[in-house]
C-alpha cells in the first residue's frame, strides 16, 4: 500500500515536471547577497575575480610596477593566455588519451608511442610560446623586475605543491 502511494506521488511529480515548460528563474547578481563593485555576488565568479585582483596587486607590489607597466603586463598576459589555450587543451586531450590507452588490458604500444611523441611536440610549442611571452615582458620590465618575475615564477610550483 505504501509503495502504491509513493508511486502515485512520484508519478504526479513527474507529470508536473514534464508539463512545466517555464524555465526556473535565475537569481540576479546581488539578489542572494551583497554585491561588490564589479557587480558580482558571492558565487564562484566573484571569488575568481577577487583572486585575480589579489594576484595582480601582489605582482604589482612585488615588482614595483608603474600603472602603465601593470596595464601592459595584463594585456600581454591575456594575449598569452588566449594564444596558449588551444595548446594546453590539446595537451590535456592527448594526456587523457594516453592514460586511457595505457590502462587497457592490451595497450597498443604504437599508439602510446604516437601519443607521447605528440605530447612532446605540444610541449615544444608551449615552450616556444612561453619564450616569446617572456621576450615581450622583457620589453615592459627593467632587468631588476624581470629577475624578480623569473624568481617568482620558479617559486610557484614549490609553494603550491610543498616541493623545494
Amino acid at each position: 500500500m505504501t509503495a502504491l502511494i509513493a508511486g502515485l506521488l512520484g508519478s504526479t511529480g513527474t507529470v508536473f515536471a514534464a508539463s512545466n515548460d517555464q524555465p526556473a528563474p535565475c537569481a540576479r547578481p546581488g539578489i542572494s547577497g551583497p554585491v561588490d563593485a564589479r557587480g558580482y555576488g558571492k558565487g564562484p565568479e566573484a571569488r575568481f575575480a577577487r583572486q585575480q585582483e589579489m594576484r595582480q596587486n601582489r605582482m604589482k607590489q612585488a615588482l614595483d610596477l608603474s600603472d602603465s607597466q601593470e596595464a601592459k603586463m595584463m594585456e600581454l598576459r591575456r594575449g598569452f593566455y588566449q594564444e596558449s589555450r588551444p595548446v594546453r587543451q590539446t595537451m590535456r586531450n592527448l594526456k587523457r588519451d594516453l592514460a586511457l590507452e595505457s590502462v587497457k588490458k592490451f595497450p597498443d604500444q604504437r599508439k602510446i608511442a604516437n601519443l607521447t611523441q605528440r605530447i612532446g611536440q605540444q610541449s615544444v610549442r608551449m615552450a616556444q610560446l612561453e619564450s616569446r611571452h617572456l621576450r615581450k615582458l622583457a620589453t615592459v620590465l627593467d632587468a631588476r623586475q624581470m629577475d624578480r618575475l623569473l624568481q617568482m615564477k620558479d617559486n610557484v610550483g614549490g609553494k603550491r605543491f610543498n616541493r623545494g
Side-chain angles (χ1 to χ4, degrees):
M1 184 67 169
T2 307
L4 180 64
I5 292 173
L8 288 174
L9 290 176
S11 65
T12 304
T14 306
V15 169
F16 173 75
S19 66
N20 185 7
D21 59 351
Q22 296 294 329
C26 294
R28 292 186 318 264
I31 293 291
S32 58
V35 176
D36 68 5
R38 293 174 305 274
Y40 292 113
K42 292 184 178 182
E45 296 88 9
R47 198 168 27 256
F48 179 75
R50 283 190 299 273
Q51 289 170 347
Q52 285 290 96
E53 191 173 323
M54 287 171 41
R55 236 179 265 128
Q56 282 176 258
N57 288 336
R58 280 195 305 265
M59 175 123 5
K60 183 175 182 172
Q61 289 174 352
L63 299 177
D64 192 28
L65 298 174
S66 67
D67 290 341
S68 63
Q69 283 178 314
E70 180 185 21
K72 185 64 178 168
M73 273 195 69
M74 289 307 300
E75 177 186 327
L76 290 174
R77 290 179 74 197
R78 281 189 193 105
F80 171 71
Y81 178 78
Q82 290 301 321
E83 191 176 17
S84 65
R85 177 184 248 169
V87 177
R88 287 181 282 119
Q89 182 63 46
T90 301
M91 283 183 69
R92 272 193 300 274
N93 291 341
L94 289 169
K95 287 180 179 182
R96 186 192 65 239
D97 293 346
L98 177 63
L100 291 173
E101 186 64 34
S102 296
V103 298
K104 286 182 177 177
K105 189 167 185 164
F106 300 105
D108 182 350
Q109 294 303 317
R110 276 186 273 160
K111 186 172 183 179
I112 288 174
N114 182 18
L115 287 168
T116 55
Q117 184 179 21
R118 290 174 56 199
I119 290 169
Q121 291 168 349
Q122 292 302 311
S123 294
V124 167
R125 178 74 179 128
M126 191 66 182
Q128 291 169 339
L129 292 173
E130 287 176 2
S131 175
R132 187 172 27 172
H133 177 62
L134 287 172
R135 283 193 308 271
K136 288 178 183 177
L137 287 176
T139 65
V140 176
L141 304 175
D142 63 31
R144 181 188 57 79
Q145 291 170 322
M146 198 66 206
D147 286 342
R148 179 70 180 130
L149 177 68
L150 292 174
Q151 195 176 43
M152 290 168 61
K153 188 176 176 332
D154 287 342
N155 290 335
V156 168
K159 288 181 183 175
R160 186 180 300 159
F161 299 108
N162 295 326
R163 295 183 293 200

